[in-house]
Structures are given as structure tokens and as C-alpha cells.
Amino acid sequence: MSHNNPGHKDENSVSVEDGPCIDVLSDVLRAIRLYASSYYCVDFSSPWGIDEPQADCGIFHAVIRGSAWLTIPEQNDPIFLSAGDIIAFPTGTPHQISEQPDSRTISGRDLLEMIRHNTNPYSDGQSVVTLLCGYFQYRKQTCLPLLRDMPSMLHVKSGDAPKLDWLNSLVKTLAYESRILQPGSEVMVDRLTEVLIIQLLRWQMRNQSSTPGYLQALADDRLSRALSLIHKQPSKPWTVEALGRAVSMSRTAFANHFQATVGMTPLAYLSQWRMHIAYELLTESTESMLSIAEQVGYKSEASFGKAFKKIIGTSPGQVRKMR
């Protein structure tokens, strides 16, 4: 099958250049502009409880000491969290985390404001738990499958140790930095929290490999290689046959495997990634429309504009005016 973009050569002319693979997860995380930070790491005395409503960002909690119960409206049974457990909600799912499933709670937003003003409503007695809580956010306007396939919840259990010793060490370091006032601590906390979120996504890739989706594709040797080629050379006139050949698969086997895992065809993914690059260039550079079109594999402004509007929903000219 030949590529449907004007001016492209026949698929047999496409060569795969040797070279290191692109780290696709890093590429996508840069694309969505992941940012993360920790709200606080504090001790709570009994009884305590936090009610987190639906959020427009991701939320995470790490139980540093003690234990807690997690209640999610869409699940009937509460989940017990022990020291070392990490729970994350990439899509901001509403939830409650508390001493007991029926403990009274305070709004997470109200609690954060109190703690920021040096007031801890759960400090009247002997502390029973230490919690590290924070958030992570990313640009949601992009049409990338990682955002589509973000799990609603991640639960890393302390019982998975010793495989997760490295993660436990990271959390302990983050908890320590969150509680001290040292030069550079704020930046340190932000960067460590971002590392934590990336490690959680890595954990998801390794441990949920049976669930179709973008993270499974990144964990698949052949699909991740194909994605790497697309990210490394987005302007190439890629075809399904050329990508399949590059990862030692037949055209049909590769197309079926990609579609079943990623949820779209290889060329649909190629088009989405190209348009993401184009969107960035349109909003953040002064390059000409033709130059941008050529960088994402199109030989004319007309063919580029048509493809861009089909995927993004608006014309390149309108996006450029948004700068």
C-alpha cells in the first residue's frame, strides 16, 4: 500500500537508517509537558480523613508510615494501604483516603490550605500515619494515545518489595526533602516528584502488559521499535510494510498487532504524531507553513493543511494566530 500523502515515493524506496532508538516515552512526556510536585508530607493523628473530589490533574498519595483505607465511589470495597504503598489517580478520579473507611473527612483542598498556613487539623493526639501527597498535570489538548489510555488508578503495593527497593528509596528521599527547609528544596521536590510519576508509568508498563493500550505498546519490543522509528523520522514516507519490515514482521501481522494494541492503525498514529509536531511548530516558531509541512512529511501546504484540519479540527492558519 502506498502512502496517501502527495509527493511521497513508493514504499519500496523507504530505507530504515541504523542508529539508536528514540526513547518514545520520554518523547511523549515532553510532548504533553508533564509537571509534578508534592503538596505536603505530614503526620496525622487519629481520627483523620481526606476527601478528594474529581480533579483536573493527577493526584497521588504515598503512605510513609502507618496505614490507611482508600475508598473510591465506583468500587464497593475499600482498599487497605500499608506503609510503603503508593496510590495514584492519573485522571483525577474522586476518592477518599482515611484512617478507617467510615472516618469523617475534610476536603483535600481545604486541608491543603490549612497546611499551607501551618495549621494541621489532625495534630491533636499521637500521630498514627505519615502521608506524602501531591499532584501531576499535563497538557490535555494533544491527541496522543498515552492520554487516552491513562489508567484511572495505579496501586503499587509495598508487598512487591524487594523488586521496588529503588522506588521506596525515591519516595523516602522525596518525603525527606518535602519536610525540610534547605536551599533548593522546592526545585528538588518538583524534580523528584516528576521522577516518581515517570517511575509509576514504567511500573504500569511492566506490570499491566496484558492490557491493550499505549503503555503495552511501549513495553512491546517490536511495537516500541516501530514507534521509535516514527518518532525519530516523522517526515519519512512510512508505510505499513516498511515499518513491519523494520521490526521483522509481515505487513499483515504488524498491522494487526499494532491495531489491536494501540487502538489505531500505524499510519493513523504517524499522522497524529506529525500533527502534534506541526502544532508545536505553529505555536512556538516563526517557520514558514511550507517548512513546517515538509518537516512532517508533506510536500505542499495544501495537503498539509487538509491533513492538519482533519486531525486537529482547525486549520494551521488559525492555530498560528493563537501564538
Side-chain angles (χ1 to χ4, degrees), residues 3 7 19 39 49-51 81 83 128 153 155 167 173 203 219 229 259-260 269 274 307 323:
H3 201 287
Y39 288 136
I50 308 170
D51 179 26
L81 306 176
V128 294
M153 183 181 77
H155 182 189
L167 185 57
T173 302
W203 177 87
L229 290 170
Q259 173 83 53
Y269 181 86
R274 285 174 164 178
R323 284 191 305 169

Side-chain angles (χ1 to χ4, degrees), residues 235-309:
S235 64
K236 262 191 174 294
W238 290 112
T239 63
V240 177
E241 181 174 348
L243 287 167
R245 187 168 59 244
V247 296
S248 304
M249 296 180 72
S250 71
R251 179 190 183 282
T252 300
F254 171 70
N256 290 341
H257 187 38
F258 195 102
Q259 173 83 53
T261 306
V262 183
M264 63 178 67
T265 67
L267 296 188
Y269 181 86
L270 171 64
S271 295
Q272 281 200 356
W273 184 246
R274 285 174 164 178
M275 294 313 133
H276 164 74
I277 294 172
Y279 190 97
E280 294 286 295
L281 292 171
L282 286 166
T283 56
E284 299 181 5
S285 79
T286 58
E287 296 188 47
S288 69
M289 200 72 73
L290 180 58
S291 173
I292 293 173
E294 290 175 341
Q295 289 181 61
V296 293
Y298 293 84
K299 301 302 182 183
S300 72
E301 291 184 38
S303 60
F304 165 64
K306 183 177 179 181
F308 187 91
K309 187 168 186 179

Side-chain angles (χ1 to χ4, degrees), residues 34 36-38 60-62 64 84-88 132-136 154 156 166-172 174-175 188-203:
L34 176 70
S37 189
S38 296
F60 75 88
H61 309 281
I64 307 300
D85 280 20
I86 306 170
I87 195 82
L132 171 69
C133 302
Y135 74 101
F136 52 103
L154 297 174
V156 180
W166 50 270
L167 185 57
N168 294 331
S169 297
L170 172 61
V171 171
K172 289 177 182 177
L174 178 53
M188 178 84 81
V189 167
D190 290 349
R191 298 299 173 264
L192 287 173
T193 308
E194 289 172 4
V195 172
L196 172 61
I197 300 306
I198 294 170
Q199 294 285 23
L200 292 178
L201 291 175
R202 280 182 174 178
W203 177 87

Side-chain angles (χ1 to χ4, degrees), residues 7 25 33 42 49 76 137 142 154 164 166 204 217 221 244 247 251-252 295 306-307 315 322-323:
L25 180 58
R33 300 188 180 177
V42 297
N76 294 327
Q137 58 190 22
T142 56
L154 297 174
L164 295 178
W166 50 270
Q204 179 75 3
D221 288 340
V247 296
R251 179 190 183 282
T252 300
Q295 289 181 61
K306 183 177 179 181
S315 70
M322 295 164 53
R323 284 191 305 169

